[in-house]
Amino acid sequence: DQQVKQNSPSLSVQEGRISILNCDYTNSMFDYFLWYKKYPAEGPTFLISISSIKDKNEDGRFTVFLNKSAKHLSLHIVPSQPGDSAVYFCAATPGNEKLTFGTGTRLTIIP
Amino acid sequence: EPEVTQTPSHQVTQMGQEVILRCVPISNHLYFYWYRQILGQKVEFLVSFYNNEISEKSEIFDDQFSVERPDGSNFTLKIRSTKLEDSAMYFCASKIRDQPTNEQFFGPGTRLTVL
């Protein structure tokens, strides 16, 4: 069951540059999408979300883009900072209680 | 800042034993969840709980699992007879109410090791 996919297990980005993390989904019933950040030995921390009625949502350095026709979303972090190094999970829900997570992308920011 | 807490941080048990994982959700939250993450795999939904009853559960959440909110603050996950494949990180989460962001707040997790 791979309803939410993050095809890049890891990504390295120079400090100050843009980090782009990608996520694809297959379930057309999903109508809300979230990005979580996770450090080792901690639980996922909510970053930003987007409803299917929008195509962009911005919060400070973080912007999420949604392309419904392609069933694709991306998280942009600009500028990238060393503290952004973590595992990033994309999650989706059809508006009920259950979040379906992707496998995560490990982001490493190189100073 | 309010946060979800979980105890213990690490639980080691023998196969076949019962374990209870405990969570204290954020105090004004109404929806409660358990997820798990097997090492190297993705975070998987187990169960959601609202108004003192299960609102949704996954295929993983079989008869060996149960949840309870025994008082106004704790939310527990019980595994009656643990199996080796139950070894995982278990995360509790809570949400204030139906809200546009659907944001669920996660605890730090309990690492369960079944020997």
Side-chain angles (χ1 to χ4, degrees):
Chain A
D1 177 7
Q2 292 239 20
Q3 296 187 67
V4 179
K5 298 182 207 177
Q6 293 176 257
N7 291 319
S8 298
S10 63
L11 176 68
S12 294
V13 174
Q14 206 76 30
E15 182 179 357
R17 308 293 287 265
I18 183 170
S19 296
I20 301 176
L21 297 102
N22 293 301
C23 178
D24 296 292
Y25 63 96
T26 57
N27 189 340
S28 56
M29 298 299 291
F30 288 146
D31 67 358
Y32 219 91
F33 305 90
L34 307 90
W35 283 95
Y36 281 83
K37 174 180 178 180
K38 187 180 181 301
Y39 293 116
E42 294 184 13
T45 302
F46 172 76
L47 270 180
I48 191 168
S49 62
I50 188 165
S51 162
S52 60
I53 63 173
K54 294 187 175 182
D55 55 18
K56 177 182 173 181
N57 188 25
E58 194 171 352
D59 184 3
R61 297 186 298 116
F62 302 92
T63 303
V64 56
F65 295 93
L66 175 62
N67 183 333
K68 278 185 65 179
S69 60
K71 293 190 173 68
H72 176 84
L73 63 154
S74 61
L75 173 68
H76 292 210
I77 306 172
V78 57
S80 300
Q81 299 173 354
D84 296 330
S85 294
V87 178
Y88 288 78
F89 290 97
C90 167
T93 175
N96 60 10
E97 305 310 305
K98 170 184 172 181
L99 291 180
T100 300
F101 283 84
T103 49
T105 296
R106 181 177 302 279
L107 175 65
T108 302
I109 305 303
I110 304 163
Chain B
E1 186 175 327
E3 58 184 15
V4 177
T5 59
Q6 290 185 243
T7 54
S9 57
H10 190 190
Q11 174 88 48
V12 181
T13 189
Q14 294 290 325
M15 189 170 58
Q17 295 295 305
E18 174 183 287
V19 294
I20 297 177
L21 310 183
R22 291 183 167 80
C23 168
V24 179
I26 296 173
S27 63
N28 59 344
H29 285 193
L30 302 176
Y31 297 83
F32 313 110
Y33 312 88
W34 284 100
Y35 293 81
R36 79 172 186 190
Q37 185 181 28
I38 295 172
L39 187 64
Q41 298 185 24
K42 59 183 178 181
V43 177
E44 300 174 289
F45 170 81
L46 290 177
V47 66
S48 58
F49 191 86
Y50 169 70
N51 201 24
N52 281 321
E53 61 183 27
I54 290 173
S55 46
E56 188 173 356
K57 61 183 180 180
S58 72
E59 293 175 353
I60 303 166
F61 195 89
D62 60 22
D63 292 344
Q64 292 300 313
F65 291 87
S66 62
V67 289
E68 197 176 38
R69 188 155 163 82
D71 52 42
S73 59
N74 289 284
F75 180 51
T76 62
L77 174 69
K78 182 193 289 186
I79 309 174
R80 287 191 185 80
S81 178
T82 50
K83 303 186 281 271
L84 295 176
E85 54 264 38
D86 293 327
S87 295
M89 281 291 289
Y90 288 80
F91 295 105
C92 174
S94 67
K95 189 175 79 167
I96 188 164
R97 62 172 65 85
D98 285 336
Q99 60 183 32
T101 62
N102 270 297
E103 174 185 350
Q104 296 177 17
F105 291 82
F106 283 78
T110 292
R111 179 173 298 283
L112 176 65
T113 302
V114 182
L115 302 175

